[in-house]
Amino acid sequence: MGHFTPLVVFESPEAACRQLAADIASFIRSNDARHRPTVLGLATGNTPLPLYRELIRLHREEGLSFRNVTSFNLDEYVGLERDHPQSYRSFMHRHLFDHIDLPAQNIHLPPGGVLTDQIPARCTAYEASIAQAGGIDLQILGIGRTGHIGFNEPGTHIDSRTQMIELDAVTRQDAAPTFGGIANVPTHAITMGCGTILAARQIALLAWGSNKAAIVRKAIEEPVTDQVSASFLQTHRAATFFLDRAAAAALRE
Ligand code: F6R
C-alpha cells in the first residue's frame, strides 16, 4: 500500500500552471543565487502546454533565465528522425526550447532515431547522463488514460529504467489525430522507467479534463499496482498532483 498523495485542485489548467511555473521560477532563481544548476524532467503532450506558455512568458516578461537549467525529457518515439515534425524533440522545440534561453547542449531526450540494436546502449547512456547531471530535481508528468507516466504502460515494473517499450493500443489511438491516422503512429517508444521517474527529488503530475478523471482516481485512491504506473507516485515522498476541477471530479475525498 502507498500513502496519501498530496493534490491541489485549481479552477483551470492555466491557474494550476501559473502556480507551478511560479514555483519553478523561484526554484531556478534560488539555485542561480547559490551557483547551483537546476535539473528539470520534462513531458510532452497536451497537458504541459499551458505550463510551457507560462514559463515562456516569465522568460520574456520577467527575466527568468534558463541558462543554468538542464533538461531531460521523459520519452521519444522510436523510428522518427530528430527533426521529424511529430518527434518529441521537435515538439519541445516548438513549444518551449525555441522560445527560452536554455542552452542547446543542456537539452536531452531519449534517442528515438537510432538503429534498434543501438537502443539498449543508448538507454544506459541516457541514465548515465541523468546521474552525471546530479539527478532530476523536479520531474513534470502527464498521465495517459492507461495510467502511464512517461510511456510506462500497464505491467511495467516499479524499478524499471530507461528502455524501449511497445505502446499500448489506447495510447496509439490517443496519438492518432496528431499523426493523421493510427497507421502513422509509431509502435514503440523509448521512455524513462518508473524507477528513473521515482528517483526525481520532486514530482508534479498534471491532469486536466473529464477524460482523465477515472484514471486520476485510480492512481490516487486505489492500491499501488503495476497496472497503473501513476499509482507508484503514492510511494514517493514529494509527488504532488496538480488537477483542474474536471480531472478531480471522480475523487471520493
Ligand atoms: C509525454 C508522456 C505521456 C503523456 C500522457 C498524457 O511525454 O510521457 O505520459 O504525459 O500520455 O498525454 P496528454 O498530455 O496529451 O493527455
Side-chain angles (χ1 to χ4, degrees):
M1 289 292 283
H3 68 282
F4 178 72
T5 308
L7 63 95
V8 212
V9 182
F10 294 85
E11 276 303 319
S12 64
E14 288 70 25
C17 289
R18 269 196 301 277
Q19 172 71 59
L20 181 56
D23 292 349
I24 293 172
S26 57
F27 183 60
I28 292 173
R29 287 184 169 122
S30 81
N31 282 335
D32 283 356
R34 291 176 204 154
H35 304 287
R36 288 172 46 163
T38 300
V39 183
L40 298 179
L42 300 177
T44 55
N46 289 319
T47 307
L49 289 177
L51 174 67
Y52 297 156
R53 278 196 292 272
E54 178 64 5
L55 289 174
I56 292 166
R57 193 194 66 76
L58 289 171
H59 170 66
R60 287 186 179 153
E61 296 176 15
E62 297 185 22
L64 177 64
S65 174
F66 294 82
R67 65 183 177 278
N68 299 319
V69 173
T70 294
S71 72
F72 290 92
N73 263 82
L74 285 166
D75 36 28
E76 179 60 284
Y77 290 113
V78 169
L80 301 188
E81 293 300 322
R82 288 164 71 100
D83 299 337
H84 188 286
Q86 259 72 52
S87 77
Y88 279 164
R89 182 178 289 273
S90 300
F91 177 100
M92 288 306 300
H93 276 279
R94 253 189 333 268
H95 295 292
L96 183 64
F97 299 153
D98 288 352
H99 312 286
I100 59 175
D101 62 344
L102 179 65
Q105 69 272 19
N106 293 9
I107 293 171
H108 304 84
L109 283 93
V114 302
L115 295 172
T116 317
D117 60 352
Q118 296 175 2
I119 288 176
R122 298 291 295 273
C123 290
T124 306
Y126 198 66
E127 289 282 334
S129 57
I130 295 172
Q132 203 182 0
I136 292 170
D137 291 310
L138 170 65
Q139 176 67 55
I140 306 299
L141 299 175
I143 181 170
R145 288 192 300 136
T146 60
H148 68 212
I149 48 176
F151 275 142
N152 294 290
E153 301 289 18
T156 309
H157 196 266
I158 191 167
D159 291 332
S160 60
R161 289 285 165 170
T162 302
Q163 61 176 336
M164 182 167 82
I165 52 82
E166 186 174 358
L167 292 166
D168 190 278
V170 174
T171 302
R172 293 187 66 238
Q173 196 66 57
D174 284 350
T178 29
F179 279 90
I182 193 157
N184 302 326
V185 181
T187 56
H188 291 75
I190 297 174
T191 180
M192 282 188 198
C194 296
T196 320
I197 293 168
L198 292 170
R201 287 181 277 278
Q202 278 197 70
I203 298 176
L205 185 146
L206 284 44
W208 332 124
S210 55
N211 66 336
K212 297 289 174 73
I215 196 67
V216 162
R217 191 188 64 74
K218 279 191 184 168
I220 295 177
E221 292 187 342
E222 287 188 9
V224 176
T225 168
D226 70 4
Q227 295 307 301
V228 179
S229 296
S231 73
F232 294 151
L233 299 180
Q234 294 178 33
T235 70
H236 195 275
R237 298 161 62 210
T240 304
F241 280 67
F242 286 71
L243 307 174
D244 71 353
R245 287 183 183 282
L251 296 171
R252 288 199 200 92
E253 296 178 36

